Amino acid sequence: MGNSSKLSLVLIGLILGASLVACDDGRAGAQDAVKQLASAVSALDVGAVAFEGKDSGAANDQLKEVFKALAPAKPSVQAGELKLDSGTATVPLDYSWNIGTEQWKYTVSAQLKKSGDKWLTVWNPAVLVPGLADGEVLSSSNETPQRAAILGAGDVPLVTYRPVVNVGIDKPQLGGADAADSATKLARLVGVDPAAYATQVAAAGPEAFVAAITLREDGTRTITDGQISAIPGGRAIKDMLPLAPTRTFARALLGAAAEVSAEQIEKSGGVLKAGDTTGTGGLQQQYDAQLRGTDGIVVRAQKAGLTAEEIKAASPDPRRVLFRVEIKAGTPLKTTLDPKLQQLAEDVLGKVGPASAIVALRPSSGAVLAAASGPGSNGYDTAMLGQYAPGSIFKMVDSLAMFRNGMTPDSTVDCPATLTVDGRTFKNAEGYPASSLGSVTLRDAFAHSCNTAFINARDKVSQAQLESAATSLGVAVEAPSLGAAAFLGSVPGAAEGTEHAASMIGQGKVLLSPLSAAVMAGSVAKGAPVSAQLVLNPNAGTTPGTPSAAPTTAASTTAGSTPPGDAPASSAPAPAKTAGTPVTAAEAASLADMMRAVVTSGHAGFLASVPGAPVGAKTGTAEFGKDNPPKTHAWIVAVHGDLAVAVFVEEGGLGATVSGPLLKEFLTAAG
């Protein structure tokens, strides 16, 4: 190649290079600076951003002060299309904040100037919020809606706002008295731990009111205002709280609502804040979002340091509204609970020492009318969540399986005094009548609850047939309309030898809750499987993304409660989706015939005097534990017109003599 050719190539290269330099107008550098700015504002930290007219540290301090009221929220900031004009650039910044349940979106314009080989952001508070001036910050105020009510049958309020007094020590009113002495006296008066309360009062600030207890203002309060005010610093402050009719009314089922704790705030992921009321346990916790509603929130721009007094005195309001989230009241939770029957069930169980339960439902609709857990349950929802061997009430399932193998209530069965299976001896309950031993009708064996007769049928009734018959009666089947955490029963589909024999008398691995026992009885009254229903509007008014109703599972637990005694908290196998072979009207009529015989000729004769429709029943006594003689669960289920009831006592002796009288009292008063 000649020199002239080389020279031409050099010239071409110089020309191209010059044109490339001319095309580099600084856009790439400006875009990098904008990208850094958007990222820094998103993180609420612009300490590393280079500004014109403002020290980076001072700009960062101002940004944090401007947005302090929105903490812990941070914006998402995206840069739009950059416009370049010589040594300046403008770019839109699109902000998006999550404020409560809504998004606050706005766009501002940022300006950059080139200084040497660097692009600097021109500082202006309006780059943070449209129209924001120096010396202005944002403020945020919340308006919290009242918690919605929980309603019973006919929309009667069960949980609603009721008057209370918060009793405590108001430290500014101590008047020189010893705080520890006053705290100790008040604690003893109201029945709380004196040492713990005195420590709490000592730790509080000098202007604090330290609550010791909240008392209902419903005529049952025995501690008077005079007794409280007689203690230096003692004070009773009137308030309203969402409460059930009484302290114990359906407590395990409904749960409670109270001011949110620090732990609940932390676990809520920003949903809850100090001063909110939230649910703990039961329906209050499960449907918290529906009942709580959503706060109204107003974001304003205002002069830094503006006081509440200045705002009140000014006209017009010196603040300007930037964004508003409208307050949304919670939606009342509608349930099928009958307040009179629920209270009656609790009154009946009030004198029972061990864990206990009464569940009443309407077979025609599946509506749960009462689900009471007695005082011995210690706050656990025995009625809905208890998992217990059902004993002889499970003979209803055996009998259905036997009908399906060709038997009738008049078929003959063998009822020996004892029966040995694989080395284990089974016997009938204490006091079993000798006249009903030997060759008897299935009706008679059912009426007197002959264990050996039903175990004798084990070779003709497989474990799989038992499982199928149980689901036919609504046991261990999902209840999609229940709307509450519950144990729906568990019947294994496979068992052999003594375990299968034990299943025939409702022991082994067969487990029912009082709810599922009531469903079983109700399916007989209905002539079809009952699907229990408790909550009527489980999805109303819930916040998007917030689960409203926990799925009903085979076994689940209620927050803050522990199953007493023999009730396991572990999960049983999941219930079936639907009953495999629904009980027929004819099968149910045969079962109803035998349940009536329990009252007319069996050991539940005490129910014959219950007024109204004839009562059909089945008793059950289930052994548990390793004591000798073993402890027993006492069961009885009954149908009475369009009412099905299950009564359970955890350590109860015989079903007929322990749970039976409780059932009679309930049915007689229920009318």
Side-chain angles (χ1 to χ4, degrees):
M1 185 181 292
N3 287 338
S4 60
S5 299
K6 290 179 181 178
L7 183 59
S8 298
L9 288 172
V10 170
L11 287 170
I12 291 167
L14 288 171
I15 292 164
L16 285 171
S19 68
L20 287 171
V21 169
C23 288
D24 182 12
D25 54 5
R27 180 174 293 275
Q31 285 177 329
D32 286 345
V34 166
K35 187 177 179 182
Q36 182 197 15
L37 175 65
S39 176
V41 177
S42 294
L44 297 184
D45 186 351
V46 294
V49 175
F51 291 100
E52 182 189 77
K54 190 83 168 180
D55 173 73
S56 296
N60 200 40
D61 289 344
Q62 188 172 351
L63 173 142
K64 290 183 183 301
E65 194 62 29
V66 165
F67 291 137
K68 183 178 179 181
L70 302 186
K74 291 183 179 180
S76 168
V77 184
Q78 302 292 329
E81 187 180 348
L82 183 80
K83 291 185 179 178
L84 208 60
D85 183 11
S86 186
T88 64
T90 57
V91 63
L93 296 179
D94 298 322
Y95 281 71
S96 178
W97 295 81
N98 289 325
I99 305 294
T101 58
E102 297 184 24
Q103 283 193 320
W104 177 28
K105 295 184 176 184
Y106 58 84
T107 301
V108 297
S109 180
Q111 189 176 31
L112 294 90
K113 286 188 178 179
K114 195 171 185 184
S115 176
D117 60 350
K118 290 185 68 177
W119 285 90
L120 306 179
T121 299
V122 178
W123 176 255
N124 181 350
V127 82
L128 304 177
V129 177
L132 195 71
D134 264 324
E136 285 189 319
V137 296
L138 300 191
S139 65
S140 176
S141 59
N142 288 57
E143 184 183 2
T144 302
Q146 275 204 338
R147 192 171 181 84
I150 298 180
L151 308 175
D155 289 347
V156 174
L158 300 181
V159 178
T160 189
Y161 276 82
R162 302 178 195 272
V164 297
V165 288
N166 296 312
V167 181
I169 296 295
D170 195 8
K171 294 186 78 171
Q173 294 189 8
L174 279 167
D178 181 64
D181 181 59
S182 285
T184 301
K185 286 177 179 174
L186 185 70
R188 286 175 179 155
L189 175 66
V190 300
V192 300
D193 183 340
Y197 182 60
T199 302
Q200 193 181 348
V201 170
E207 300 299 313
F209 171 79
V210 187
I213 196 170
T214 299
L215 302 174
R216 288 172 177 259
E217 284 279 56
D218 59 0
T220 62
R221 175 157 71 106
T222 56
I223 299 164
T224 66
D225 287 351
Q227 289 173 298
I228 295 163
S229 60
I231 298 168
R235 193 174 170 201
I237 301 175
K238 294 184 181 298
D239 197 2
M240 300 285 285
L241 284 179
L243 297 172
T246 68
R247 187 179 62 83
T248 58
F249 183 91
R251 179 69 178 243
L253 175 61
L254 297 176
E259 189 169 323
V260 67
S261 68
E263 183 183 2
Q264 287 171 320
I265 292 172
E266 187 179 339
K267 286 182 177 179
S268 76
V271 173
L272 298 174
K273 64 184 185 309
D276 281 350
T277 297
T278 192
T280 302
L283 299 181
Q284 288 280 17
Q285 181 171 329
Q286 186 175 337
Y287 293 96
D288 188 53
Q290 173 172 333
L291 294 165
R292 195 176 65 245
T294 55
D295 284 0
I297 305 172
V298 182
V299 179
R300 297 180 174 92
Q302 64 183 64
K303 183 182 71 176
L306 190 66
T307 65
E309 290 75 16
E310 289 172 330
I311 294 168
K312 194 173 181 181
S315 182
D317 194 323
R319 305 166 296 174
R320 66 181 187 279
V321 174
L322 301 174
F323 181 70
R324 185 188 299 273
V325 177
E326 295 298 333
I327 190 170
K328 293 177 185 173
T331 302
L333 188 70
K334 297 185 177 186
T335 76
T336 58
L337 282 186
D338 182 311
K340 291 181 180 177
L341 289 182
Q342 178 69 30
Q343 189 59 58
L344 171 61
E346 294 188 8
D347 291 344
V348 170
L349 294 176
K351 53 188 175 288
V352 178
S356 60
I358 293 177
V359 175
L361 56 80
R362 198 178 304 289
S364 59
S365 64
V368 177
L369 305 176
S373 300
S377 296
N378 295 319
Y380 186 72
D381 194 354
T382 303
M384 302 285 283
L385 297 174
Q387 301 181 36
Y388 298 98
S392 291
I393 62 170
F394 196 69
K395 288 171 184 168
M396 295 166 64
V397 171
D398 298 349
S399 298
L400 177 56
M402 292 161 78
F403 293 161
R404 290 176 172 177
N405 285 340
M407 297 186 73
T408 72
D410 293 312
S411 297
T412 302
V413 294
D414 185 29
C415 176
T418 62
L419 185 67
T420 302
V421 179
D422 294 344
R424 178 179 172 184
T425 299
F426 294 90
K427 61 181 181 177
N428 295 315
E430 205 69 39
Y432 187 87
S435 59
S436 291
L437 290 173
S439 182
V440 297
T441 63
L442 178 59
R443 182 186 294 104
D444 197 23
F446 186 91
H448 290 97
S449 207
C450 177
N451 290 337
T452 57
F454 284 90
I455 294 170
N456 258 332
R458 69 192 182 281
D459 292 335
K460 296 176 183 175
V461 176
S462 70
Q463 189 71 23
Q465 285 178 311
L466 277 186
E467 181 189 33
S468 175
T471 66
S472 298
L473 291 168
V475 173
V477 178
E478 285 185 1
S481 298
L482 185 62
F487 175 70
L488 301 171
S490 177
V491 181
E496 296 179 1
T498 55
E499 190 178 308
H500 176 47
S503 293
M504 297 294 291
I505 55 171
Q507 304 226 174
K509 293 182 179 177
V510 175
L511 296 170
L512 295 188
S513 63
L515 170 69
S516 56
V519 164
M520 179 173 68
S523 298
V524 173
K526 183 181 180 182
V530 166
S531 183
Q533 181 174 45
L534 175 68
V535 176
L536 297 174
N537 61 336
N539 300 307
T542 52
T543 304
T546 305
S548 142
T552 303
T553 55
S556 55
T557 55
T558 300
S561 62
T562 304
D566 188 48
S570 59
S571 290
K577 292 287 184 187
T578 57
T581 309
V583 65
T584 66
E587 291 169 337
S590 293
L591 285 171
D593 167 282
M594 299 204 303
M595 290 177 71
R596 181 61 182 158
V598 174
V599 177
T600 56
S601 62
H603 48 207
F606 52 86
L607 295 173
S609 61
V610 172
V615 178
K618 184 69 192 84
T619 59
T621 305
E623 296 179 351
F624 72 95
K626 296 180 180 178
D627 291 1
N628 191 12
K631 295 177 181 177
T632 55
H633 302 314
W635 290 89
I636 190 166
V637 294
V639 292
H640 184 219
D642 196 16
L643 189 67
V645 184
V647 181
F648 167 80
V649 178
E650 185 185 29
E651 293 181 27
L654 299 177
T657 56
V658 175
S659 293
L662 302 175
L663 174 68
K664 182 179 180 180
E665 184 181 349
F666 180 83
L667 290 179
T668 302

